[in-house]
Amino acid sequence: MFPNQHPVVGKNKFFDATITALRKHFDGDMQAHWKKVSCVVVGSPGFTRENFLHYLRETSERKNSSFLKSVVSKVILSHCSSGFKQALKEILSD
């Protein structure tokens, strides 16, 4: 993290980047792919997953986005012990 950067600002940037990636891959011309998605699994240690879901809900309301509201309805939260790739097995077994 940069010296003068507040942790919440960095986390919100990460959350915004995640939302942007979801939109890029599943919104607009790609909505046919979104219809095939049954759930979006969000896993993290600590409370990051809950914070992301809260941020996603706020963003969907603020932007009045039907796509983001549909993302919120498909989110499943899962706990894992780390934020690294090795935690995928842990998340999927939950």
Side-chain angles (χ1 to χ4, degrees):
M1 185 174 330
F2 298 105
N4 294 329
Q5 188 176 13
H6 192 273
V8 173
V9 173
K11 201 178 285 188
N12 287 350
K13 280 180 142 181
F14 173 71
F15 292 165
D16 283 333
T18 304
I19 291 169
T20 300
L22 282 167
R23 286 190 136 160
K24 176 182 176 186
H25 293 288
F26 295 111
D27 199 13
D29 296 337
M30 307 299 280
Q31 282 188 341
H33 296 291
W34 179 248
K35 291 177 183 176
K36 297 176 185 176
V37 175
S38 58
C39 68
V40 177
V41 179
V42 178
S44 75
F47 294 100
T48 305
R49 62 191 173 279
E50 288 92 349
N51 293 341
F52 174 71
L53 183 58
H54 179 74
Y55 187 83
L56 182 61
R57 281 187 181 128
E58 284 184 344
T59 303
S60 70
E61 291 298 322
R62 187 176 67 247
K63 294 186 176 190
N64 197 21
S65 168
S66 60
F67 171 71
L68 291 180
K69 289 177 184 177
S70 71
V71 172
V72 169
S73 71
K74 293 184 179 189
V75 168
I76 295 174
L77 301 179
S78 178
H79 174 75
C80 62
S81 58
S82 75
F84 296 100
K85 197 179 346 180
Q86 295 83 350
L88 283 175
K89 184 175 180 182
E90 191 178 340
I91 290 169
L92 294 174
S93 68
D94 187 16

